[in-house]
C-alpha cells in the first residue's frame, strides 16, 4: 500500500537529517586555549563567569584542505565578539552566539581573541559555561548544499499543504536522494550518526572513531549531480507553478537597547551584531541589512569608530540601510509631545550628519501602542511612512488592514505597513514555511503586490546567518511559494506610495491602541516618575534661559546632551517597565543626573534673567517665572520651607518680582480634622479616609458620587503571561478596599496651606496620603507615599464623579483622546486600561471633574468612575519591581464647563511644573513678559535655542481640537519667522486659521540684526 504524502514527508525528513552527518569531510581540533591568560581545555568549565572574560588561541588549519572549504566552528559557552588576526595584519571580527557558530576564514593561520560573557541572547545566564567546541572543519560543499536544498523542499511541502505542486516536490526530493552514492561503512557510519537523537537513546554505543571518514570524491560528486538535477527540476516546476506572491526581504537584528540585560551588555551586542552583518556583506552582493536607532551609531562613534567607518562605507554602497529617523525606538504612549519631537529632531540630524541621509520611514516594530500625535510629528520631521508589527499582538480586535493610511489627531497621514509573520514576527527566517504564511496573511495583496518581511535573529541581536543568505539564493528557483529578494525598506515604501497614489487605501483614524501589555503603563513607577520630572526640568530650563535671552542675557546653551539621556531611557523596554532590575538602577541614576543638571541650569538661567530686571528698592524680593501659557496663581516654596499661596497672578511666559513682605494668602482657607475649605472648594474627608464630599463653590455642585479616592487592592494581579507587561481583564474579580485607616489627622493648618493625613496598611505595605488644599487652589492635591512590600498585587484609586458622559477625555502627547466610558463593543471592552498623561476628565456640558497626576499613566474610565493605577508588584523580569518607597501627587479638580473651558490643562501643568522661584534683593516689583501669545488658547511645548544659527525656537500646539486666530507679541527688535517644522526648517502649512485642531506650530524668533 503506497505511503501518504504525510508519511513520505516524515521519511524525507529522516533522510535529510542523515545527510547532515556528512556535511564535513574532516575536522581538526584547535588546542592551546587560554582563559584570562590561564590554560583551559576542551569541555572544561570556565574558572569563573563574572563580567567580560577573554579567550585566546592560535589556530592553524591543515595544509591539505582547500582554503575556500575551511570553516571555523566555535562554541565557547556564551556570547562573544571574536577577532581573527592574520600574519599579514588583516583582521576580521564576528559575533558568536547560539545561531552564529561557524565562520569562514581568510587564511590557514591566525590568532583568535574574544570578549565573552556567560550569557545567552535573551540575557539568560549560562550557569555552567564551558569551552564546548573549537575546531576546523573541511566543509563538503556538495553535501552541505544538497542537505540545505532538500531541507527547504521539505519546509515548502509543509507550508504548501494541499497545493497541487506538493506531490511533484516530493517526487523530486525522493529522486535526488535515490540518486546518491552514499557511504555505508559500519565504523564510519555509526561514528558519524552517533550524535543523532535516536542514537543517543541507545543503552551503550559501540566504540566510536574519533575522526571518521567523510564522503569520497565520487560520493561528493553524486551529491553535486543530485543537487543540480533537483535544482533543474524545481525550475521546471516553477514554470508550471509560478511564485505566488512577492516579499521584499530586509535583513534585521532587533536589538533591545536594554531589556533582559543591562545596557552595558547591549553595547557588546551591537558590536557583535554589526560585525556579523558586515561579514555577510563582504561575501554577498545581494544581502541587505537595516538598523535603526541613532543612539547606537553615536555609541559606536565613541567606542569603535573604525566599526562605524566600515558601516558608513556600506551605507554609501546601499547595502546597509539606516532607518527610523529617531534617536531610539521609543515607547510612544508616555513621552510628552516635545520628547517625541526631540526623538525625530535629534535622530534626523544625527543621521544626516553621520550618513548624509534623512529617513522617510519610522521603524517601530516592537512598541506597545502608538499615540495619535505621531503622524503629525513624523510628517513634520520629513517622515511619511510608518512600520510596526506589534498591532498583530492585540488579543481581542485587530486593525482590519495591513497597508493603510494612519491618520493622526490633526489629520496628518503616514503610509503604514505591518506584516503578520507567525514565525517570530520581525525576527523572521528565510524559509518557505515563513514566506508562505506571511504572504497568506497579507490582506493588502489585492491592492499592492509586495509585502515586507524582516529576517534575522533579534531582540537580543545576532541578526542574519550565513545560512539565511544561502537559503535566499536557493529559494529563488522554487515553485508556488512567494518570490522573495533582498531589498531596502525605503524602496518598499516608495513602491507602496505609488500604489497609494493610484488606489484608495484604507484609513485608520486616531491612536493605535494595543490590546495587550497594558501594565506597562504602571510597572516600574520609579523610572516613569523620574522620566517625567526630567522632561519637565529640561523644557523649563530651556524656557527660562530663552526668556532671559529675550531680555538681553546670553544665548542659551544647548541641552541636547541631557535630552539624549532622556530619549535613550524612553526606549520601549525601559520606560514601560519591562526590563530587569539592573536596567532601572542605571536608568533612574541617569535620569536623576539629568534632573539635577537641568535644575542647576534653571537656577543659572533665573539668575541671568534676574540680572536683566529693573533695579529697585525691594530688598526682600521673590522672583517667579511662569514657564507656561496660562496665568498662574502665585504658589511657591521659600528657602526656609514656607509655602506661599497668594492671591497674586503670574502672567504667561513672564517673570514677576514680588515683595515678600507684602504677600498675603488668598482668602478663605479653613481646616478641621475632617474638612478643608477655601474660596473655590469645600472638602470633607470620610471616616474611611476617602473624599466624602467635594463642593465646587462657583457652581454649588457636588463633584463626587458617594466618595472619591477609594483605594482598592487587587491581590490576584497575576497575568497568565508577561508578568510586568500585562493586566488581565478579570483582575478586579478579587478586590480589597482600604477603608479602615490607621489614622486621620489634621497635620497643617496655616494661612497658605492646610492638610489632612490618612495612613493605611495592607499586609506588608503602607499608604500615606495627605490631602492638601492651598489658599488659592482650585484642585485638591493628594500627596501620596507608598511603602510597597507585596508581590503580584495592584493598587488603584477609583473616583466616582458626579458627572455623566459617554466619553472621557484623556490627555496624550500634543492633545487629547476621547475614549468611551461604556462597553458596548469588544473594542471598548478591551480598552479597560489606557494611557493618559496629566489628566483624565469626565464632563457634562456645564460641569466636569478631572483627575490630575504628576507621575502616573495607567487609567480607566468606566461609567462615571475614573480609575488610576498606582503601583504593582510583578516578579518577572524584576522580582523587586517597585519594592519600597515612592512618592507622587494626584489631584481631584471639579470645574465649570468642558475641560478646556474649566482650566483643567492649566492645573495639570501647574501640578507637574510649579512656578520657578528664587529669592533676591535690589529689584523693582513688577511683571515682565518678553513673549506673549494672543488669540485662541493654545498650549506650550517648548522654547529653546535654535539648532542652526542664532535665535530661539518656539513651539506651541492646539490641545483641544479647536481652530482660531493666533499672534505672537515679541520685544522690540525681535521677529518671528515663517512657519517651521520640528526640524526647524521652513514648511508650507495648510489650513485657513492661524492654528488648526491639534496642530503643532513652530517659529524661529530672532533679533532683527542677527
Amino acid at each position: 500500500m503506497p505511503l501518504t504524502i504525510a508519511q513520505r514527508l516524515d521519511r524525507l525528513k529522516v533522510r535529510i537529517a542523515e545527510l547532515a552527518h556528512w556535511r564535513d569531510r574532516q575536522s581538526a581540533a584547535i588546542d592551546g586555549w587560554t582563559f584570562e591568560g590561564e590554560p583551559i581545555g576542551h569541555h572544561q568549565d570556565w574558572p569563573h563567569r563574572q563580567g567580560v572574560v577573554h579567550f585566546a588561541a592560535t589556530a592553524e588549519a591543515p595544509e591539505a584542505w582547500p582554503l575556500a572549504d575551511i570553516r571555523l566552528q566555535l562554541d565557547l559557552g556564551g556570547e562573544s565578539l571574536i577577532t581573527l588576526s592574520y600574519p599579514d595584519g588583516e583582521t576580521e571580527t564576528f559575533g558568536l552566539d547560539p545561531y552564529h557558530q561557524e565562520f569562514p576564514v581568510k587564511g590557514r593561520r591566525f590568532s583568535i581573541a574574544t570578549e565573552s560573557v556567560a550569557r545567552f541572547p535573551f540575557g539568560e545566564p549560562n550557569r555552567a559555561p564551558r569551552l564546548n567546541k573549537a575546531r576546523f572543519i573541511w566543509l563538503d560543499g556538495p553535501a552541505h548544499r544538497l542537505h540545505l536544498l532538500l531541507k527547504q523542499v521539505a519546509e515548502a511541502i509543509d507550508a504548501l499543504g494541499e497545493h497541487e505542486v506538493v506531490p511533484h516536490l516530493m517526487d523530486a526530493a525522493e529522486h535526488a536522494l535515490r540518486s546518491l552514492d552514499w557511504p555505508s561503512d559500519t565504523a564510519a557510519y555509526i561514528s558519524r550518526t552517533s550524535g543523532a537523537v535516536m542514537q543517543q537513546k541507545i543503552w551503550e554505543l559501540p566504540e566510536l572513531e574519533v575522526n571518521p571518514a567523510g564522503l569520497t570524491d565520487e560520493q561528493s560528486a553524486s551529491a553535486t549531480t543530485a543537487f543540480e538535477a533537483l535544482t533543474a527540476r524545481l525550475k521546471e516546476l516553477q514554470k508550471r507553478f509560478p511564485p505566488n506572491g512577492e516579499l521584499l526581504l530586509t535583513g534585521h537584528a532587533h536589538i533591545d537597547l536594554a531589556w533582559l540585560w543591562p545596557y552595558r551588555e547591549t553595547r557588546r551586542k551591537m558590536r557583535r551584531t554589526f560585525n556579523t552583518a558586515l561579514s555577510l556583506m563582504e561575501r554577498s552582493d545581494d544581502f541587505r541589512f537595516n538598523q535603526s536607532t541613532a543612539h547606537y551609531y553615536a555609541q559606536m562613534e565613541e567606542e569603535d569608530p573604525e566599526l562605524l567607518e566600515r558601516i558608513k562605507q556600506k551605507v554609501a554602497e546601499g547595502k546597509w540601510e539606516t532607518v527610523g529617523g529617531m534617536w531610539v525606538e521609543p515607547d510612544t504612549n508616555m513621552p510628552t509631545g516635545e520628547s517625541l519631537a526631540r526623538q525625530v529632531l535629534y535622530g534626523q540630524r544625527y543621521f544626516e550628519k553621520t550618513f548624509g541621509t534623512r529617513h522617510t520611514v519610522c521603524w517601530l516594530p516592537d512598541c506597545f501602542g502608538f499615540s495619535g500625535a505621531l503622524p503629525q510629528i513624523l510628517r513634520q520631521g520629513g517622515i511619511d511612512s510608518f512600520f510596526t508589527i506589534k498591532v498583530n499582538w492585540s488579543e481581542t480586535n485587530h486593525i482590519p488592514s495591513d497597508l493603510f493610511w494612519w491618520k493622526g489627531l490633526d489629520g496628518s497621514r503616514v503610509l503604514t505597513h505591518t506584516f503578520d509573520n507567525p514565525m517570530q514576527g520581525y525576527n523572521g527566517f528565510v524559509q518557505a514555511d515563513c514566506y508562505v504564511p506571511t504572504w497568506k496573511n497579507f490582506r493588502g495583496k489585492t491592492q499592492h503586490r509586495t509585502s515586507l518581511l524582516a529576517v534575522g535573529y533579534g531582540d537580543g541581536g545576532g541578526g542574519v546567518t550565513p545560512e539565511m543568505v544561502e537559503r535566499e539564493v536557493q529559494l529563488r528557483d522554487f515553485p508556488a511559494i512567494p518570490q522573495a529578494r533582498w531589498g531596502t525598506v525605503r524602496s518598499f515604501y516608495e513602491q507602496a506610495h505609488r500604489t497609494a497614489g493610484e488606489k484608495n487605501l484604507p484609513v485608520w483614524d486616531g491612536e493605535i491602541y494595543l490590546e495587550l501589555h497594558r501594565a506597562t503603563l504602571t510597572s516600574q513607577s520609579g523610572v516613569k516618575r523620574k522620566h517625567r520630572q526630567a522632561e519637565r526640568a529640561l523644557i523649563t530650563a530651556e524656557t527660562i534661559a530663552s526668556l532671559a535671552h529675550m531680555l538681553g542675557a546670553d544665548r542659551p546653551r544647548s541641552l541636547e546632551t541631557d535630552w539624549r539621556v532622556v530619549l535613550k531611557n524612553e526606549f520601549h523596554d525601559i520606560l514601560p517597565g519591562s526590563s530587569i532590575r539592573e536596567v532601572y538602577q542605571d536608568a533612574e541614576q541617569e535620569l536623576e543626573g539629568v534632573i539635577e543638571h537641568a535644575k542647576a541650569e534653571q537656577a543659572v538661567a533665573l539668575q541671568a534673567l534676574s540680572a536683566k530686571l529693573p533695579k529697585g528698592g525691594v530688598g526682600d524680593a521673590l522672583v517667579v517665572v511662569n514657564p507656561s501659557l496660562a496665568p498662574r496663581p502665585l504658589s511657591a516654596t521659600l528657602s526656609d520651607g514656607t509655602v506661599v499661596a497668594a492671591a497674586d497672578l503670574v502672567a504667561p511666559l513672564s517673570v514677576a518680582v514680588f515683595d515678600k513682605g507684602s504677600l498675603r494668602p488668598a482668602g478663605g482657607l479653613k481646616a478641621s480634622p475632617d474638612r478643608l475649605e477655601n474660596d473655590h472648594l469645600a472638602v470633607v474627608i470620610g471616616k474611611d479616609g476617602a473624599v466624602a464630599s467635594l463642593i465646587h463653590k462657583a457652581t454649588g455642585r457636588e463633584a463626587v458620587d458617594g466618595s472619591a479616592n477609594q483605594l482598592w487592592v487587587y491581590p490576584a494581579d497575576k497575568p497568565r503571561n508577561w508578568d510586568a507587561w500585562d493586566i488581565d481583564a478579570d483582575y478586579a474579580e478579587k478586590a480589597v478596599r482600604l477603608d479602615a485607616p490607621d489614622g486621620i489627622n489634621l497635620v497643617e493648618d496655616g494661612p497658605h496651606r492646610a492638610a489632612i493625613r490618612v495612613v493605611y496598611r495592607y499586609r506588608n505595605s503602607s499608604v500615606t496620603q495627605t490631602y492638601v488644599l492651598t489658599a488659592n487652589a482650585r484642585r485638591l492635591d493628594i500627596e501620596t507615599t507608598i511603602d510597597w512590600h507585596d508581590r503580584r498585587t495592584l493598587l488603584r484609586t477609583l473616583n466616582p464623579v458626579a458627572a455623566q458622559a459617554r466619553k472621557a477625555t484623556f490627555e496624550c502627547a500634543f492633545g487629547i483622546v476621547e475614549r468611551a466610558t461604556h462597553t458596548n463593543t469588544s473594542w471598548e471592552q478591551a480598552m479597560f486600561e489606557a494611557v493618559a498623561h496629566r489628566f483624565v476628565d469626565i464632563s457634562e456640558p456645564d460641569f466636569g471633574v478631572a483627575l490630575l497626576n504628576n507621575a502616573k499613566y495607567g487609567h480607566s474610565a468606566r461609567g462615571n468612575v475614573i480609575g488610576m493605577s498606582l503601583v504593582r508588584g510583578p516578579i518577572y523580569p524584576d522580582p523587586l519591581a517597585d519594592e519600597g518607597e515612592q512618592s507622587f501627587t494626584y489631584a481631584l479638580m471639579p470645574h465649570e464647563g468642558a475641560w478646556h473651558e474649566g482650566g483643567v490643562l492649566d492645573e495639570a501643568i501647574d501640578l507637574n511644573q510649579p512656578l520657578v522661584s528664587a529669592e533676591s534683593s535690589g529689584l523693582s516689583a513688577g511683571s515682565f513678559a518678553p513673549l506673549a501669545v494672543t488669540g485662541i488658547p493654545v498650549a506650550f511645548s517648548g522654547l529653546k535655542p535654535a539648532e542652526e544659527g542664532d535665535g530661539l525656537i518656539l513651539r506651541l500646539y492646539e490641545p483641544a481640537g479647536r481652530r482660531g486666530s493666533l499672534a505672537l507679541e515679541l520685544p522690540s527688535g525681535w521677529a518671528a519667522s515663517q512657519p517651521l517644522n520640528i526640524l526647524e526648517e521652513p514648511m508650507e502649512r495648510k489650513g485657513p486659521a492661524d492654528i488648526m485642531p491639534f496642530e503643532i506650530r513652530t517659529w524661529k524668533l530672532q533679533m532683527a540684526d542677527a
Side-chain angles (χ1 to χ4, degrees):
M1 187 171 180
L3 297 178
T4 65
I5 289 292
Q7 291 167 333
R8 291 166 69 187
L9 180 58
D10 287 341
R11 181 177 64 184
L12 178 60
K13 290 178 180 178
V14 171
R15 293 294 312 278
I16 292 170
E18 176 195 14
L19 300 188
H21 299 296
W22 273 266
R23 185 175 174 271
D24 59 282
R25 284 198 172 193
Q26 295 179 31
S27 65
I30 301 172
D31 296 314
W33 285 90
T34 61
F35 177 98
E36 296 293 312
E38 296 297 323
I40 185 171
H42 287 260
H43 308 296
Q44 182 177 334
D45 290 343
W46 293 15
H48 70 82
R49 58 185 184 89
Q50 284 75 45
V52 180
V53 301
H54 301 86
F55 287 88
T58 300
E60 184 171 349
E63 286 290 342
W65 296 2
L67 180 60
D69 294 335
I70 296 175
R71 299 292 185 270
L72 171 65
Q73 289 186 339
L74 294 176
D75 179 359
L76 302 179
E79 287 195 278
S80 301
L81 183 71
I82 64 170
T83 299
L84 311 184
S85 299
Y86 295 92
D88 63 359
E90 184 176 3
T91 62
E92 190 165 22
T93 305
F94 302 94
L96 171 66
D97 59 44
Y99 316 113
H100 300 81
Q101 295 188 339
E102 184 173 292
F103 312 99
V105 298
K106 294 183 175 180
R108 298 179 192 282
R109 299 171 190 83
F110 49 84
S111 62
I112 307 172
T114 83
E115 297 176 8
S116 304
V117 292
R119 301 276 175 177
F120 297 118
F122 282 80
E124 313 101 305
N126 184 350
R127 301 192 186 279
R130 62 180 55 182
L131 199 165
N132 295 309
K133 182 188 296 184
R135 67 175 189 167
F136 288 113
I137 66 164
W138 175 358
L139 181 70
D140 192 305
H144 162 73
R145 288 189 292 272
L146 179 62
H147 169 257
L148 183 58
L149 184 60
L150 284 166
K151 191 175 178 180
Q152 299 217 86
V153 172
E155 291 164 352
I157 292 171
D158 254 336
L160 291 169
E162 299 296 320
H163 194 287
E164 58 181 314
V165 76
V166 164
H168 300 284
L169 289 173
M170 185 67 72
D171 285 342
E174 290 172 338
H175 184 271
L177 285 166
R178 283 194 295 268
S179 72
L180 291 175
D181 178 12
W182 211 247
S184 59
D185 175 74
T186 297
Y189 200 99
I190 292 174
S191 298
R192 280 191 168 267
T193 59
S194 62
V197 173
M198 179 177 63
Q199 299 303 96
Q200 285 291 305
K201 295 178 180 179
I202 294 174
W203 178 278
E204 193 71 42
L205 286 168
E207 186 175 348
L208 304 175
E209 293 183 349
V210 175
N211 204 348
L215 301 182
T216 65
D217 289 344
E218 292 77 13
Q219 290 164 342
S220 185
S222 76
T224 296
T225 301
F227 175 84
E228 292 172 349
L230 179 54
T231 300
R233 180 67 177 129
L234 291 171
K235 289 180 178 179
E236 291 175 9
L237 289 172
Q238 192 182 64
K239 295 176 184 176
R240 183 175 172 187
F241 303 100
N244 177 28
E246 183 174 284
L247 300 173
L248 187 145
L249 302 179
T250 175
H252 183 48
H254 187 69
I255 305 175
D256 284 319
L257 190 142
W259 181 28
L260 303 176
W261 52 87
Y263 177 64
R264 60 182 179 272
E265 182 61 27
T266 305
R267 288 155 64 175
R268 293 187 282 272
K269 285 179 179 290
M270 284 187 273
R271 295 179 67 204
R272 295 193 289 260
T273 301
F274 294 176
N275 276 289
T276 294
L278 289 169
S279 72
L280 292 174
M281 289 175 187
E282 290 183 8
R283 293 168 173 86
S284 170
D285 288 333
D286 297 324
F287 174 60
R288 298 292 181 269
F289 180 79
N290 89 69
Q291 178 62 57
S292 73
T293 305
H295 177 80
Y296 289 167
Y297 299 105
Q299 188 75 60
M300 288 300 100
E301 192 171 10
E302 292 181 10
E303 293 189 352
D304 197 339
E306 183 181 349
L307 176 58
L308 181 63
E309 287 303 313
R310 292 170 59 205
I311 291 171
K312 288 166 73 172
Q313 180 182 345
K314 296 303 180 184
V315 170
E317 293 173 6
K319 292 186 174 183
W320 183 299
E321 185 180 16
T322 59
V323 296
M326 295 178 122
W327 191 251
V328 300
E329 293 180 16
D331 173 83
T332 73
N333 282 320
M334 290 175 279
T336 187
E338 186 62 23
S339 278
L340 293 174
R342 301 296 177 100
Q343 286 281 356
V344 176
L345 172 66
Y346 295 137
Q348 289 282 52
R349 285 179 60 82
Y350 182 85
F351 282 120
E352 186 168 37
K353 174 179 72 76
T354 307
F355 301 103
T357 183
R358 292 182 182 178
H359 297 308
T360 58
V361 181
C362 178
W363 182 267
L364 296 179
D366 191 33
C367 301
F368 310 145
F370 303 96
S371 168
L374 204 53
Q376 182 180 192
I377 294 169
L378 297 178
R379 291 306 297 254
Q380 288 206 20
I383 296 172
D384 59 11
S385 305
F386 179 69
F387 171 78
T388 185
I389 75 158
K390 208 66 173 189
V391 293
N392 299 320
W393 285 43
S394 285
E395 292 188 320
T396 306
N397 307 283
H398 293 276
I399 290 177
S401 306
D402 46 19
L403 182 64
F404 58 94
W405 288 108
W406 179 22
K407 181 180 177 182
L409 298 178
D410 73 312
S412 295
R413 295 185 178 195
V414 288
L415 187 61
T416 300
H417 178 50
T418 174
F419 61 78
D420 185 2
N421 165 30
M423 297 182 70
Q424 301 301 312
Y426 50 79
N427 300 318
F429 302 123
V430 181
Q431 296 180 192
D433 47 353
C434 183
Y435 289 7
V436 172
T438 300
W439 178 256
K440 180 180 179 181
N441 292 338
F442 180 39
R443 286 162 287 176
K445 61 172 69 76
T446 58
Q447 294 168 300
H448 189 63
R449 60 180 293 177
T450 310
S451 178
L452 197 61
L453 176 61
V455 297
Y457 289 97
D459 289 341
V464 176
T465 64
E467 182 180 294
M468 291 179 183
V469 176
E470 191 173 358
R471 278 172 169 269
E472 185 273 329
V473 175
Q474 289 186 356
L475 287 172
R476 295 177 189 179
D477 298 327
F478 272 56
I481 68 170
Q483 179 183 9
R485 297 289 186 275
W486 299 111
T488 63
V489 175
R490 186 178 192 127
S491 68
F492 169 83
Y493 278 97
E494 287 172 349
Q495 294 174 1
H497 274 280
R498 285 194 286 271
T499 295
E502 299 166 357
K503 300 180 180 179
N504 289 323
L505 296 184
V507 176
W508 181 266
D509 194 327
E511 69 173 330
I512 297 178
Y513 175 84
L514 181 66
E515 295 175 357
L516 193 70
H517 293 356
R518 302 167 183 88
T520 58
L521 303 174
T522 303
S523 295
Q524 297 287 2
S525 299
V527 77
K528 292 174 169 60
R529 181 173 64 256
K530 288 192 182 300
H531 169 259
R532 189 177 303 183
Q533 291 170 348
E535 285 180 309
R536 301 267 43 112
L538 286 175
I539 292 169
T540 300
E542 291 173 334
T543 301
I544 298 174
S546 297
L547 293 174
H549 182 49
M550 297 185 78
L551 289 176
D554 291 342
R555 185 175 185 270
R557 292 177 290 196
S558 170
L559 298 182
E560 180 177 352
T561 300
D562 292 288
W563 269 109
R564 287 185 178 190
V565 176
V566 173
L567 302 181
K568 170 196 170 188
N569 286 293
E570 290 173 353
F571 180 75
H572 61 259
D573 273 312
I574 299 179
L575 185 56
S578 48
S579 290
I580 59 172
R581 185 168 185 76
E582 291 83 350
V583 170
Y584 294 104
Q585 291 170 337
D586 292 345
E588 291 190 36
Q589 183 178 12
E590 290 179 1
L591 291 169
E592 183 61 37
V594 170
I595 294 166
E596 290 177 1
H597 184 246
K599 288 190 174 179
E601 289 288 319
Q602 290 178 23
V604 169
L606 187 52
Q607 187 176 21
L609 193 155
S610 298
K612 297 299 178 181
L613 297 177
K615 301 299 184 282
V618 179
D620 191 10
L622 182 65
V623 182
V624 183
V625 177
N626 178 359
S628 71
L629 280 181
R632 307 261 287 273
L634 174 57
S635 295
T637 301
L638 305 182
S639 57
D640 62 0
T642 303
V643 173
V644 173
D648 305 81
L649 290 177
V650 184
L653 292 179
S654 75
V655 55
V657 178
F658 298 95
D659 185 342
K660 286 197 318 188
S662 66
L663 291 175
R664 297 290 180 269
L669 184 62
K670 303 174 187 176
S672 65
D674 64 349
R675 294 175 185 270
L676 300 171
E677 184 176 354
N678 66 10
D679 285 348
H680 303 290
L681 302 174
V683 183
V684 176
I685 306 302
K687 294 182 178 180
D688 59 358
V691 179
S693 176
L694 178 59
I695 301 295
H696 182 248
K697 288 187 173 182
T699 60
R701 291 264 311 248
E702 172 63 67
V704 303
D705 181 11
S707 65
N709 194 37
Q710 302 174 21
L711 295 183
W712 287 85
V713 176
Y714 304 95
D717 179 25
K718 301 175 181 179
R720 68 190 187 282
N721 198 3
W722 302 104
D723 201 31
W725 290 257
D726 282 352
I727 298 176
D728 285 347
D730 61 353
Y731 75 91
E733 292 298 313
K734 183 175 184 179
V736 177
R737 184 176 173 195
L738 304 185
D739 57 3
D742 284 4
I744 303 176
N745 298 290
L746 180 66
V747 292
E748 293 183 57
D749 187 11
H752 291 272
R753 172 181 155 121
I756 295 172
R757 183 162 296 155
V758 182
V759 178
Y760 302 93
R761 298 196 180 277
Y762 173 78
R763 295 184 180 175
N764 306 293
S765 302
S766 65
V767 181
T768 301
Q769 295 200 307
T770 305
Y771 292 103
V772 176
L773 193 67
T774 57
N776 56 14
R778 294 190 295 157
R779 65 177 193 258
L780 173 67
D781 285 354
I782 306 169
E783 297 178 353
T784 303
T785 297
I786 298 173
D787 191 15
W788 201 248
H789 301 282
D790 288 279
R791 297 294 90 195
R792 303 189 108 186
T793 302
L794 171 65
L795 175 68
R796 304 190 84 233
T797 173
L798 297 183
N799 298 274
V801 301
Q804 180 176 327
R806 288 177 54 78
K807 290 185 177 180
T809 301
F810 293 63
E811 191 195 22
C812 68
F814 287 141
I816 52 98
V817 178
E818 292 184 332
R819 299 190 177 106
T821 58
H822 55 80
T823 55
N824 287 353
T825 71
S826 60
W827 294 85
E828 291 144 0
Q829 293 164 18
M831 204 175 287
F832 58 85
E833 183 89 348
V835 65
H837 282 198
R838 294 171 293 191
F839 70 85
V840 175
D841 180 88
I842 294 179
S843 288
E844 297 170 359
D846 59 349
F847 179 81
V849 184
L851 178 67
L852 320 177
N853 78 86
N854 72 356
K856 297 297 171 183
Y857 294 94
H859 293 76
S860 60
R862 289 288 186 250
N864 69 329
V865 180
I866 304 174
M868 185 168 69
S869 295
L870 304 181
V871 67
R872 303 180 68 234
I875 61 172
Y876 179 82
D878 176 6
L880 297 176
D882 278 328
E883 182 77 1
E885 189 171 292
Q886 59 174 284
S887 297
F888 52 91
T889 300
Y890 55 98
L892 287 165
M893 181 191 170
H895 57 86
E896 190 170 4
W899 71 269
H900 51 83
E901 298 167 328
V904 170
L905 179 58
D906 300 342
E907 289 294 325
I909 291 169
D910 186 73
L911 177 61
N912 281 268
Q913 178 53 70
L915 299 172
V916 180
S917 62
E919 292 160 65
S920 186
S921 64
L923 297 176
S924 175
S927 179
F928 309 92
L931 170 64
V933 180
T934 60
I936 186 175
V938 293
F940 179 75
S941 183
L943 180 62
K944 61 178 282 290
E947 297 296 325
E948 299 291 339
D950 294 327
L952 303 172
I953 297 298
L954 172 66
R955 187 159 24 253
L956 311 174
Y957 67 96
E958 196 292 309
R962 299 168 293 184
R963 69 178 70 192
S965 61
L966 192 68
L968 306 180
E969 295 180 3
L970 303 174
S972 176
W974 283 75
S977 70
Q978 293 301 306
L980 304 181
N981 58 28
I982 63 172
L983 299 182
E984 303 177 10
E985 297 171 343
M987 67 173 286
E988 183 178 342
R989 62 176 296 273
K990 299 177 181 179
D994 293 331
I995 195 163
M996 299 294 289
F998 301 115
E999 183 182 6
I1000 305 165
R1001 291 219 54 188
T1002 305
W1003 299 264
K1004 188 172 188 178
L1005 312 180
Q1006 282 182 288
M1007 296 183 68
D1009 57 353

